[in-house]
Amino acid sequence: MLEIKDPSLTLGGRELLSPHHSFIVYEGEILCVTGGEGSGKTTLLRVLMGLQPLDRGFVNTDGDLLDERSAPYLRREMGYVPQYLDLPDETVEQLIEEYLYMQVNASHRLNQDHVLAQWRAMGIDKAYYQKRVKDVPRGMLQWIMISLIAVTKKKYVLVDEWDASLNRQLVMMALRQMADNGAAVVVVSNDGTIYSGCQKHVALSEWR
């Protein structure tokens, strides 16, 4: 369970979050966050990860209060796909190995075979494994990150707006499968197809 309760956050003199943006996402549920440009969608995800403190209110994960002390520990259970990726100049293979052998993921004992099996299920060409990160389209990098979150079975999944090149139906199928496997999922999108596929919704501002 991922909860934000009575939040209040003002940045640059503008109120981005207020108590009516409170919500709870339970295991097996997908919540869609909508809003116009600059409405605070990415900021909300940062709040849920403990990277942006609230002025008032709190974030709770299964009864554990997320604060500056607990956030690093609780983020181990979170998978995050940003809208824009600033990744190092290395190969996809190196990036994946670093991800799998991080202390937080080491207990899963995963290797390349597990990742490639997930890629086959998601239609990702294994040729990307040897490509340099800078040569992989942004949408595909996001799709690869979703595959890593899926294979490591993160408890909380946060997905910012993704590149228009990605197939919405495939993305929703992947997120739905993660939710069915017990994840609480929060996805940012103004796409009506995505919106209609989510059980819960939070609007940060009016959208068309």
Side-chain angles (χ1 to χ4, degrees), residues 40-66:
K41 301 184 297 296
T42 297
T43 300
L44 173 58
L45 297 185
R46 289 177 53 82
V47 168
L48 294 176
M49 291 187 289
L51 299 174
Q52 171 63 57
L54 290 167
D55 298 329
R56 290 183 299 278
F58 64 86
V59 175
N60 164 44
T61 61
D62 290 331
D64 295 317
L65 187 65
L66 189 148

Side-chain angles (χ1 to χ4, degrees), residues 73-97:
Y73 170 77
L74 295 175
R75 275 198 296 271
R76 296 179 179 184
E77 298 292 335
M78 294 182 176
Y80 172 53
V81 181
Q83 183 176 7
Y84 299 104
L85 299 92
D86 183 16
L87 296 174
D89 184 20
E90 59 185 355
T91 65
V92 172
E93 180 179 16
Q94 290 172 320
L95 182 70
I96 290 173
E97 287 183 352

Side-chain angles (χ1 to χ4, degrees), residues 4-9 15-22 54 204:
I4 183 168
K5 177 68 172 176
D6 296 330
S8 178
L9 178 63
E15 184 182 56
L16 295 180
L17 298 176
S18 61
H20 77 270
H21 293 126
S22 300
L54 290 167
L204 296 187

Side-chain angles (χ1 to χ4, degrees), residues 92-118:
V92 172
E93 180 179 16
Q94 290 172 320
L95 182 70
I96 290 173
E97 287 183 352
E98 290 170 6
Y99 180 85
L100 294 182
Y101 291 107
M102 288 172 58
Q103 184 176 0
V104 61
N105 295 322
S107 62
H108 293 288
R109 299 182 180 179
L110 298 168
N111 56 36
Q112 177 178 320
D113 291 337
H114 296 97
V115 175
L116 290 179
Q118 183 67 39

